[in-house]
DNA sequence: CCTACCGATCGGTAGG
DNA sequence: CCTACCGATCGGTAGG
């Protein structure tokens, strides 16, 4: 968090161009820890193990992070930042809805939800979130906010669809919950029951099922 | 697993009636461990802590269970036995469907699913299952079987409902997945995100939402 | 069911 | 970023 890299640049020269694209030790720690935590969970992983993966000795980790908990905190900043990015680009939903067919919009929506898991770092972080949720208050807060935002977005979308008479009348909040539950359940299945890092992806395993969920939803709500 | 209670009955007399209703130490260990594992997870709980809750010393636990893992294994036998019980009493689904209204049957189905969580021991065991699923193969096996059985049961139910022309035509497997996802998601929310032992219950927190889910489902499928 | 004990490992610190 | 080290705690055993 502070004075990153001061140890390695104490000669005070400007870094060469090549070095700018190299990962800092701090970044390498985060990447290694994300990887190993995603595989075996936070508690089961020791600081020695992380340092070995990075290629340094255990006490050197404490130069970059004050504690094991701080490493986890840093890892969790990533999805929070990514959620803010997605949130800020949310513009013109109504124009989008009236500019395409119901089928097209729903397919686009499904794609957005699936894309969330496509980036490898995000996928590993989501795994950590699901595994550690039961006893980590920061993760609970993040996941709650993530779910609430998703419900509210789709409540708004379905409300607009009704306004434009694209779909039959429903309680939009309830419809959002029904629609999104399918994804929550798929996440539970993927991240807790069947997680095998680097051998598969959410899209590959659930893509077809999600297409069918989209078709099912359209068939039910379409006016 | 073997020779239970031999230490305490080495005088070879028949146990008094009163003793028959008393819990054996082995049972008390299971109950205490279930309680504490449900609260804080398997790895975070020490054998000392369990023994303290029971009122014995740590090494005495090893008279009843060969290892900490064996305690968990014993705890997991409970839901497996309960599932077998429920499975074996599954008779006359078709008569049931044709003997009541769609609304009545769906309300009864929702009740069965919610009842699964009402028994305190089952609730705690379900919490342990959700918390430890990510790294415990036996739990994965159990949960997979539980989910598959649920999907298959509802696939059969919806197939029979179509045969009796109570509901519109659907792919019954897909309809089962859509219907059950709502519960899977509610479990995820309850057991991982909002679990507060002894202060609430699944029925209390999700009863209303599930009634609305049942009504939503009926409104969509009813012929 | 207990006392006494063990090796292993953990997160973290001191001091350079 | 390293060597050397620490106190605490863990699951489990020996022997009664």
């Amino acid at each position: 968090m502070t004075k990153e890299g001061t140890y390695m640049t104490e000669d005070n020269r400007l870094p060469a161009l090549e070095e700018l694209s190299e990962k800092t030790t701090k970044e390498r720690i985060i990447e290694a820890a994300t990887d190993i935590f995603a595989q075996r969970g936070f508690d089961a992983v020791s600081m020695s193990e992380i340092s070995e993966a990075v290629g340094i000795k255990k006490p050197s980790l404490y130069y970059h992070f004050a504690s094991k908990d701080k490493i986890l905190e840093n890892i969790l900043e990533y999805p929070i930042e990514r959620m803010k990015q997605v949130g800020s680009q949310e513009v013109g939903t109504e124009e989008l809805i009236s500019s395409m067919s119901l089928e097209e919009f729903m397919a686009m929506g499904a794609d957005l939800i699936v894309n969330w898991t496509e980036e490898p770092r995000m996928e590993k972080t989501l795994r950590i979130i699901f595994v550690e949720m039961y006893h980590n208050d920061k993760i609970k807060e993040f996941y709650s906010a993530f779910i609430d935002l998703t419900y509210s977005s789709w409540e708004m979308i379905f409300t607009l669809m009704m306004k434009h008479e694209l779909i039959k009348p429903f309680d939009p909040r309830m419809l959002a919950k029904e629609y999104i539950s399918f994804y929550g359940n798929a996440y539970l299945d993927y991240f807790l029951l069947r997680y095998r890092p680097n051998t598969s992806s959410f899209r590959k395993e659930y893509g077809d099922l999600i297409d069918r969920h989209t078709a099912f939803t359209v068939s039910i709500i379409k006016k």
Side-chain angles (χ1 to χ4, degrees), chain A:
Chain A
M1 300 228 141
T2 57
K3 298 173 293 177
E4 176 189 335
T6 49
Y7 190 93
M8 300 203 66
T9 58
E10 57 190 349
D11 58 357
N12 248 342
R13 64 176 169 77
L14 286 171
L17 266 178
E18 197 188 311
E19 287 174 289
L20 284 173
S21 66
E22 275 173 12
K23 289 162 185 167
T24 66
T25 303
K26 194 169 180 177
E27 283 166 346
R28 283 163 56 220
I29 294 169
I30 290 300
E31 282 176 20
T34 302
D35 228 83
I36 313 177
F37 288 159
Q39 286 181 52
R40 310 215 325 279
F42 180 78
D43 290 330
V45 174
S46 71
M47 290 296 266
S48 297
E49 204 173 340
I50 297 168
S51 70
E52 251 176 66
V54 176
I56 59 178
K57 298 293 178 186
K58 183 180 70 164
S60 305
L61 292 176
Y62 291 89
Y63 172 76
H64 299 281
F65 296 96
S67 67
K68 192 184 173 190
D69 282 310
K70 290 289 180 192
I71 297 180
L72 182 57
E73 281 178 32
N74 191 300
I75 288 173
L76 296 176
E77 283 170 19
Y78 185 71
I80 295 169
E81 288 308 310
R82 290 285 284 115
M83 202 170 82
K84 281 182 190 162
Q85 284 173 28
V86 173
S88 67
Q89 71 187 35
E90 196 188 320
V91 273
T93 307
E94 186 157 14
E95 294 92 276
L96 227 52
I97 287 174
S98 51
S99 75
M100 55 176 90
S101 73
L102 178 63
E103 284 82 354
E104 281 169 339
F105 187 92
M106 293 302 288
M108 195 198 67
D111 225 53
L112 278 174
I113 293 171
V114 173
N115 276 343
W116 193 253
T117 64
E118 282 291 281
E119 207 181 322
R121 181 159 172 189
M122 194 61 192
E123 206 231 27
K124 286 171 195 159
T125 311
L126 280 169
R127 159 73 170 181
I128 296 171
I129 284 168
F130 271 79
V131 166
E132 303 298 333
M133 194 177 340
Y134 81 97
H135 66 169
N136 184 306
D137 286 340
K138 284 194 180 174
I139 291 182
K140 286 183 184 182
E141 256 175 63
F142 167 77
Y143 191 75
S144 280
F146 174 70
I147 292 295
D148 286 348
L149 182 69
T150 305
Y151 283 154
S152 296
S153 301
W154 282 93
E155 182 183 353
M156 185 191 71
I157 288 165
F158 288 133
T159 303
L160 289 170
M161 285 178 170
M162 284 179 234
K163 180 186 158 197
H164 286 264
E165 300 199 321
L166 294 167
I167 64 173
K168 296 172 193 164
F170 288 99
D171 171 354
R173 186 79 183 173
M174 195 61 197
L175 185 56
K177 274 187 188 294
E178 294 282 347
Y179 172 65
I180 291 300
S181 282
F182 195 87
Y183 292 99
N185 198 52
Y187 272 24
L188 169 63
D189 199 63
Y190 181 72
F191 286 111
L192 291 184
L193 194 58
R194 301 184 203 284
Y195 192 70
R196 293 165 307 163
N198 309 321
T199 61
S200 190
S201 80
F202 185 74
R203 185 188 293 282
K204 247 189 269 174
E205 290 198 32
Y206 294 81
D208 289 349
L209 200 59
I210 283 169
D211 286 346
R212 295 171 71 194
H213 173 55
T214 306
F216 180 91
T217 305
V218 167
S219 78
I220 277 172
I221 64 176
K222 195 174 185 179
K223 199 151 197 168

